Amino acid sequence: APLKITKILCIGAGYVGGPTCAVIALKCPHITVTIVDLNQARIDAWNSPDFNLPIYEPGLEDVVRQCRGRNLFFSTDVDKGIREAELIFVSVNTPTKKSGVGAGFAADLNYVELATRQIAAVATTSKIVVEKSTVPCRTAESMRTILEANSKPNCRFDILSNPEFLAEGTAIADLFQPDRVLIGSLQTREGKDACAALANVYSNWVPENKILTVGLWSSELSKLAANAMLAQRISSVNALSAICEATGANIDEVAHAVGYDSRVGPKFLKASVGFGGSCFQKDILNLVYLSESLHLPEVAAYWRQVVEMNEYQKRRFSKRVVDTLFNTITGKHIAVLGFAFKADTGDTRESASITLIRDFLSERAFVNIYDPKVIESQIWLDLSEACPNMSLESIKKQVKICNSAVEAALNTEAIVIATEWKEFKAVAWTEVYEHMKKPAFVFDGRLLVDADELTKIGFKVYPSFFFF
Ligand code: NAD
Ligand code: UGA
């Protein structure tokens, strides 16, 4: 019979482990949930008395306030956590490999492996080990081999795959009401029991018909497939946006008309300056690598194009800015509104904004940045990484970080909207216009503002001013 879980450990207190397990603690007061991380500063932030949490996510603070110290704990004592838990989520990072075999494509599974080895070394009782991180298909097999080769007598490990589908910025809402919870297990009796034990945790708040149980490999691949198909929609709509700009069609109108087909559906069809975030690119590259390893070059090329289209979209946007500003931005001032990869998060990983600013800096423009949530030190870190041939000192000579959109726009010749923060819609545009150099350009990388209204004020708004 399935075990009734009362003690859960989560290894990795990041964007996934933190919110996911905080919500489990909230919804399951009878379960003690401990979240551990090697990063002391991160754990200190989770434990901070004034709830100055390490990640910004709407609704998260409220959840942590309700549970922390009750049945939710944050710690750096990984070993103790492992010893006490019945079920362990492995929610560590799986970035793209930077060197070695598969560099630039394959997922770096070093963190997953280290966590797995630590579980094997420390556990003295049986555990259910759950892959929460996004991993290549068949990683569970490697985890099982490592665990079994290192386990103590009377210790058995059951491996589950339980990929996470939350999106940043809406993580808490997504976790409260997930479209589905996916659990993959071996189709043995023990595997199915472990699966039922985890399903019972979720069934405290997720309707049974939304808890899907499948084989391990299907579960692992479904996660990569879901991200690939979501990103593919964006690249498709972005590819169409290039045709729109060349013809005078309006991509919002086209997307709306296409999305009305119930087979296509209206969501996730917003043209943009390109998708960012820690996962889409990484997971598609991972799928490309998998396809190549399986000797499926046509499949690999198909998915690779989704990422290439995204790179093209970012390049095309930077070029549009330079071309429009009379073919040179050297010495000009540009305001970039938004540094996060999407609205309602402070996360900047793979943000399109970084690529644009890098391009502007390489043209020797001056850039004023404003983002409501990204902290200053993160911006310097990201720009240093993006511009390896510039010293931080020289970056700081060209970049100013501002406290409002209005401040960022002061004396600039152009505004670039890089993130879809709602507040950018409500900017005092008339006031901004008065304080800018003329002609004053707005490049709306998110189709966020009302182009007609801004045009009436006097702005030249892209994408639309060069339509016939
Ligand atoms: P993250 O970098 O924010 O968090 C991972 C944490 O794991 C880090 O704090 C790191 O210090 C810690 N860690 C690494 N190795 C450890 C070890 N051996 N012991 C203890 N702690 C360790 O990453 P994230 O954004 O939370 O992503 C985690 C995984 O979830 C990735 O595989 C990602 O693909 C997947 N995922 C992410 C999202 C998202 O929106 N960010 C959504 C779904 C799935
Ligand atoms: C994405 C998926 O939506 C989640 O289901 C998944 O769990 C997660 O990746 C993951 O595996 O990490 P996330 O990257 O947090 O979530 O955010 P999204 O809302 O998917 O946005 C990704 C990027 O696409 C952002 O830069 C966003 O601005 C952009 N986007 C999104 C568009 O350009 N157009 C759209 O229509 C939608």
Side-chain angles (χ1 to χ4, degrees):
L3 186 71
K4 200 155 172 24
I5 303 293
T6 59
K7 290 192 197 75
I8 289 180
L9 175 74
C10 176
I11 303 183
Y15 285 88
V16 169
T20 310
C21 288
V23 167
I24 292 179
L26 180 76
K27 299 291 187 182
C28 311
H30 58 286
I31 298 178
T32 303
V33 180
T34 305
I35 307 179
V36 293
D37 204 293
L38 300 172
N39 183 333
Q40 182 75 52
R42 227 171 195 188
I43 290 299
D44 289 347
W46 283 110
N47 281 326
S48 70
D50 53 351
F51 291 85
N52 198 1
L53 305 181
I55 62 182
Y56 170 71
E57 192 59 70
L60 175 64
E61 184 183 324
D62 186 46
V63 173
V64 176
R65 274 183 190 275
Q66 289 184 64
C67 312
R68 200 178 72 189
R70 179 188 82 181
N71 65 329
L72 175 65
F73 302 92
F74 297 92
S75 160
T76 50
D77 194 343
V78 182
D79 286 355
K80 177 163 176 277
I82 292 172
R83 274 195 300 273
E84 291 175 353
E86 297 147 350
L87 182 147
I88 302 175
F89 285 107
V90 177
S91 194
V92 301
N93 36 332
T94 51
T96 304
K97 275 183 86 169
K98 287 193 172 142
S99 60
V101 178
F105 290 93
D108 183 348
L109 292 175
N110 189 34
Y111 303 99
V112 172
E113 176 161 346
L114 288 176
T116 308
R117 285 187 182 276
Q118 197 164 358
I119 294 171
V122 172
T124 50
T125 56
S126 298
K127 314 280 171 198
I128 298 174
V129 179
V130 186
E131 270 177 3
K132 189 54 137 171
S133 300
T134 303
V135 291
C137 196
R138 294 198 80 88
T139 301
E141 186 67 23
S142 319
M143 289 173 74
R144 196 155 63 100
T145 309
I146 292 170
L147 288 169
E148 281 175 359
N150 295 287
S151 65
K152 300 184 184 61
N154 305 323
C155 247
R156 66 164 286 125
F157 296 103
D158 288 293
I159 317 276
L160 299 174
S161 156
N162 173 222
E164 184 48 60
F165 296 99
L166 68 79
E168 287 176 32
T170 55
I172 299 300
D174 293 343
L175 289 164
F176 279 4
Q177 282 190 303
D179 284 350
R180 78 317 212 168
V181 165
L182 183 63
I183 308 177
S185 69
L186 283 183
Q187 299 302 301
T188 56
R189 207 198 69 224
E190 292 87 352
K192 286 182 179 169
D193 277 350
C195 177
L198 181 57
N200 282 339
V201 173
Y202 284 110
S203 66
N204 282 292
W205 79 98
V206 180
E208 308 262 329
N209 63 355
K210 295 200 167 175
I211 303 178
L212 313 182
T213 57
V214 299
L216 265 180
W217 324 128
S218 305
S219 174
E220 289 177 334
L221 187 59
S222 298
K223 174 63 196 177
L224 296 184
N227 274 358
M229 294 197 62
L230 287 168
Q232 181 223 43
R233 276 173 79 96
I234 303 172
S235 277
S236 297
V237 92
N238 282 343
L240 290 166
S241 76
I243 300 181
C244 285
E245 286 163 30
T247 55
N250 176 325
I251 188 59
D252 260 348
E253 290 176 352
V254 172
H256 185 69
V258 173
Y260 240 77
D261 189 320
S262 60
R263 293 168 301 178
V264 176
K267 294 182 187 170
F268 239 73
L269 286 177
K270 189 77 185 168
S272 65
V273 62
F275 59 74
S278 62
C279 291
F280 277 173
Q281 176 175 312
K282 152 175 96 68
D283 293 349
I284 295 172
L285 294 175
N286 189 340
L287 195 62
V288 169
Y289 184 71
L290 180 72
S291 310
E292 267 165 7
S293 312
L294 298 170
H295 308 292
L296 303 168
E298 291 83 357
V299 180
Y302 178 79
W303 289 114
R304 192 196 302 257
Q305 191 58 26
V306 173
V307 174
E308 276 172 19
M309 183 52 63
N310 199 50
E311 292 302 314
Y312 166 75
Q313 187 75 350
K314 290 188 272 185
R315 264 198 321 273
R316 197 167 73 79
F317 191 91
S318 302
K319 185 168 183 308
R320 170 64 62 199
V321 173
V322 178
D323 290 355
T324 307
L325 292 177
F326 316 106
N327 296 314
T328 173
I329 57 171
T330 303
K332 291 183 180 169
H333 292 76
I334 299 176
V336 174
L337 303 187
F339 197 82
F341 81 95
K342 67 181 283 197
D344 292 324
T345 179
D347 194 353
T348 62
R349 292 178 289 181
E350 303 293 338
S351 177
S353 191
I354 299 174
T355 314
L356 299 182
I357 295 167
R358 181 203 63 197
D359 291 352
F360 299 156
L361 293 183
S362 75
E363 297 282 345
R364 286 177 289 131
F366 294 99
V367 179
N368 295 343
I369 302 172
Y370 169 63
D371 188 284
K373 277 291 169 212
V374 178
I375 54 172
E376 215 174 301
S377 55
Q378 186 65 45
I379 296 180
W380 297 130
L381 198 70
D382 289 333
L383 292 181
S384 301
E385 223 169 78
C387 310
N389 51 358
M390 283 178 86
S391 67
L392 183 57
E393 207 188 358
S394 55
I395 292 174
K396 285 188 173 177
K397 279 192 189 135
Q398 272 174 263
V399 175
K400 191 174 145 213
I401 298 175
C402 303
N403 292 314
S404 71
V406 175
E407 184 195 335
L410 200 66
N411 292 325
T412 58
E413 21 271 286
I415 295 177
V416 167
I417 300 175
T419 311
E420 67 277 30
W421 284 103
K422 264 211 196 84
E423 67 166 77
F424 298 158
K425 257 178 138 83
V427 166
W429 288 108
T430 313
E431 185 190 338
V432 165
Y433 183 74
E434 281 160 14
H435 291 107
M436 284 176 68
K437 296 192 182 137
K438 308 293 166 353
F441 292 93
V442 170
F443 296 88
D444 186 356
R446 295 296 188 162
L447 305 175
L448 187 78
V449 296
D450 183 335
D452 291 340
E453 197 183 300
L454 264 62
T455 306
K456 268 188 217 137
I457 295 173
F459 285 105
K460 302 214 174 293
V461 185
Y462 163 87
S464 81
F465 59 81
F466 52 95
F467 292 163
F468 359 83

